[in-house]
Amino acid sequence: MMGQKLEALNDKLTDFIRQQKVYFVGTATQDSRVNLSPKGMDSLRVLSPNQVVWLNVTGSGNETAAHVQQQPRMTLMFCAFDGAPLILRLYGSAKVVHHKDPQWDELYRLFQPLPGARQLFVLDIDLVQTSCGMGVPFFDYVDERDHLNEWALKKGEDGIEQYWEQKNQTSLDGLPSHIMEKNV
């Protein structure tokens, strides 16, 4: 399949997204470094043909949250690592939903609870693009890694909040993530 530009997801692309075990998130502000992060752990839901939400768990940095609050553009990319070749990109404007924000409970219910759940990101899609993906190699999915869940459970809620305070309040470029603020 050669590349296409669409205004929204269709059923075939939505099914493709649901089958993926990994996807990639790209963000940047006008002057920041570009951040590209792999995601997994059954952390993405399609809400409509023009909106997705994904659950972000605690990690060593918090670039995505800091970037989106300065410049809301975001790109999600999915690659077929088995079956027919395909690359799918979702372009749009995102907003971050923190733990203490009013929308948290409603959106978080869409996911299995994950220890260390940090933020949710809602992406309003304005462009869907496919490309051939014929250069992407085949990979076999083996299993999920439990390391991050085990680490978060061991830290506990208080330990996670301390970690956020120490490691997740600013981006590499010093931009605030607002993770410790109430009702951002």
Side-chain angles (χ1 to χ4, degrees):
M1 176 202 307
M2 295 315 270
Q4 295 180 325
K5 291 180 184 177
L6 307 165
E7 293 181 6
L9 291 166
N10 57 36
D11 290 343
K12 183 178 177 183
L13 295 175
T14 298
D15 288 343
F16 174 75
I17 288 171
R18 288 185 177 128
Q19 294 171 26
Q20 301 313 300
K21 301 294 185 189
V22 65
Y23 59 98
F24 302 86
V25 176
T27 59
T29 68
Q30 185 68 28
D31 300 319
S32 70
R33 290 169 173 83
V34 175
N35 186 60
L36 181 61
S37 296
K39 303 295 176 187
M41 303 173 76
D42 188 31
S43 61
L44 186 131
R45 299 291 182 268
V46 176
L47 300 178
S48 74
N50 286 100
Q51 193 174 64
V52 298
V53 60
W54 61 273
L55 175 63
N56 190 22
V57 294
T58 300
S60 56
N62 203 0
E63 301 301 298
T64 305
H67 288 173
V68 163
Q69 292 172 94
Q70 297 284 320
Q71 171 59 259
R73 67 186 168 160
M74 178 183 284
T75 302
L76 300 185
M77 185 181 79
F78 305 84
C79 299
F81 294 111
D82 60 9
L86 177 65
I87 296 173
L88 171 63
R89 291 181 184 90
L90 309 179
Y91 297 92
S93 182
K95 79 173 187 178
V96 61
V97 178
H98 290 93
H99 252 249
K100 298 170 185 170
D101 290 340
Q103 309 96 323
W104 175 268
D105 289 338
E106 175 188 346
L107 293 170
Y108 188 58
R109 268 184 241 144
L110 300 171
F111 300 92
Q112 291 294 320
L114 288 174
R118 177 170 64 180
Q119 290 125 349
L120 292 152
F121 290 89
V122 178
L123 177 65
D124 291 320
I125 302 163
D126 59 37
L127 176 64
V128 174
Q129 183 221 15
T130 64
S131 55
C132 68
M134 290 187 255
V136 176
F138 287 106
F139 283 97
D140 291 327
Y141 174 75
V142 176
D143 205 353
E144 296 289 325
R145 296 178 195 256
D146 290 332
H147 301 81
L148 192 56
N149 287 337
E150 292 168 1
W151 173 85
L153 286 170
K154 186 176 177 182
K155 279 219 170 280
E157 285 185 35
D158 291 341
I160 291 292
E161 283 204 22
Q162 289 173 353
Y163 187 86
W164 291 348
E165 191 172 328
Q166 295 169 359
K167 304 270 187 180
N168 287 175
Q169 289 198 72
T170 59
S171 72
L172 291 170
D173 298 306
L175 300 171
S177 72
H178 301 289
I179 193 166
M180 300 305 292
E181 297 174 23
K182 295 182 186 214
N183 297 324
V184 176

